[in-house]
Amino acid sequence: MTNALIIRSATISIAGRSLVSNLSLTVEPGTVTTIMGPSGSGKSTLIAFIGGHLDRSFRATGRVLVGNRDVTELPPERRDIGMLFQDDLLFPHLSVGANLSFGLSASIESRQARRALVVKALEEADLAGFEDRDPATLSGGQRARIALMRTLLAAPKALLLDEPFSKLDSELRRDFRRFVFDRATAGRLPVLLVTHDPDDAAAANGEILILGHSAETPAITPV
């Protein structure tokens, strides 16, 4: 069962400078909530806090819950939160199929079962037959789709998107954005998106959170 992503009273600062102050937010299943704001306002820092990747130079308080499960103190790999970044981060020494298989749980031991899941993921990404391809031979859009499918194969219960569309041209950006949103919605995943692009926010279906709006409280704009 997929549950909401919940942030309770998140406060983040560095060297005495407040970036996020007492932020509480609930992202419902199948909803894409957008975080916007100027550079340095704490957008990616908030994502890092939620995902468990925040550098120790930051001071942070607050709680992160996936459904009823408090994951605040857990390492990133145990939070059941998937992440996509600006770069696709595919492993260059592995084939496309091996990259996808890397996302699968170790509990899926059967080689046949693992291969079947990889084949299905490639079909969903309109990349059937690409199992043995070198990632270096793929286009930017193809690499982006492989990165998303690898993340989804890990069966996350929530998804964080940190500017994953920013390096694509306008047409690819639109197509990949729809590809991501459609699969997140179909999977009933709560999604938190960081972006500078108003078109990304317009394509999402949830609230728009604007960091840096004031020293105390971010602005939240409903759709």
Side-chain angles (χ1 to χ4, degrees), residues 62-94:
R63 314 305 298 175
V64 178
L65 292 86
V66 179
N68 294 323
R69 181 171 174 250
D70 190 328
V71 302
T72 312
E73 305 301 329
L74 297 179
E77 65 274 12
R78 293 184 56 202
R79 294 191 178 205
D80 290 329
I81 298 176
M83 297 190 70
L84 280 183
F85 301 94
Q86 292 183 31
D87 297 313
D88 54 67
L89 302 180
L90 298 182
F91 299 115
H93 62 290
L94 297 179

Side-chain angles (χ1 to χ4, degrees), residues 5-216:
L5 174 64
I6 303 167
I7 296 90
R8 291 181 178 166
S9 304
T11 295
I12 308 172
S13 62
I14 185 168
R17 182 170 70 93
S18 177
L19 295 174
V20 177
S21 179
N22 198 32
L23 170 64
S24 293
L25 178 68
T26 298
V27 185
E28 297 293 345
T31 300
V32 181
T33 293
T34 306
I35 303 175
M36 302 187 75
S39 297
S41 60
K43 302 183 301 299
S44 293
T45 301
L46 177 61
I47 288 287
F49 168 69
I50 296 168
H53 302 276
L54 190 64
D55 189 272
R56 292 185 178 182
S57 59
F58 291 88
R59 180 178 179 184
T61 59
R63 314 305 298 175
V64 178
L65 292 86
V66 179
N68 294 323
R69 181 171 174 250
D70 190 328
V71 302
T72 312
E73 305 301 329
L74 297 179
E77 65 274 12
R78 293 184 56 202
R79 294 191 178 205
D80 290 329
I81 298 176
M83 297 190 70
L84 280 183
F85 301 94
Q86 292 183 31
D87 297 313
D88 54 67
L89 302 180
L90 298 182
F91 299 115
H93 62 290
L94 297 179
S95 67
V96 166
N99 265 281
L100 288 172
S101 185
F102 187 85
L104 292 169
S105 169
S107 65
I108 306 173
E109 298 180 356
S110 165
R111 181 177 298 180
Q112 184 176 2
R114 295 177 72 86
R115 179 174 176 78
L117 289 168
V118 167
V119 168
K120 181 181 178 183
L122 286 170
E123 290 173 349
E124 289 183 16
D126 293 325
L127 295 172
F130 275 54
E131 292 95 323
D132 297 326
R133 288 280 295 270
D134 184 333
T137 68
L138 304 183
S139 69
Q142 290 170 333
R143 292 175 63 92
R145 279 181 277 163
I146 293 299
L148 173 67
M149 300 312 294
R150 182 177 64 181
T151 299
L152 295 181
L153 282 174
K157 293 181 171 62
L159 187 60
L160 305 177
L161 308 176
D162 192 356
E163 298 274 11
F165 317 126
S166 62
K167 292 190 175 181
L168 302 175
D169 64 38
S170 58
E171 184 175 356
L172 280 177
R173 185 186 188 107
R174 183 182 66 248
D175 291 345
F176 182 55
R177 182 174 60 215
R178 181 45 51 200
F179 181 78
V180 173
F181 289 176
D182 284 350
R183 275 148 187 80
T185 300
R188 298 288 295 158
L189 291 175
V191 180
L192 202 54
L193 165 69
V194 164
T195 183
H196 286 93
D197 190 337
D199 288 341
D200 291 345
N205 62 358
E207 295 178 328
I208 300 172
L209 173 69
I210 304 176
L211 294 184
H213 180 260
S214 74
E216 297 296 328

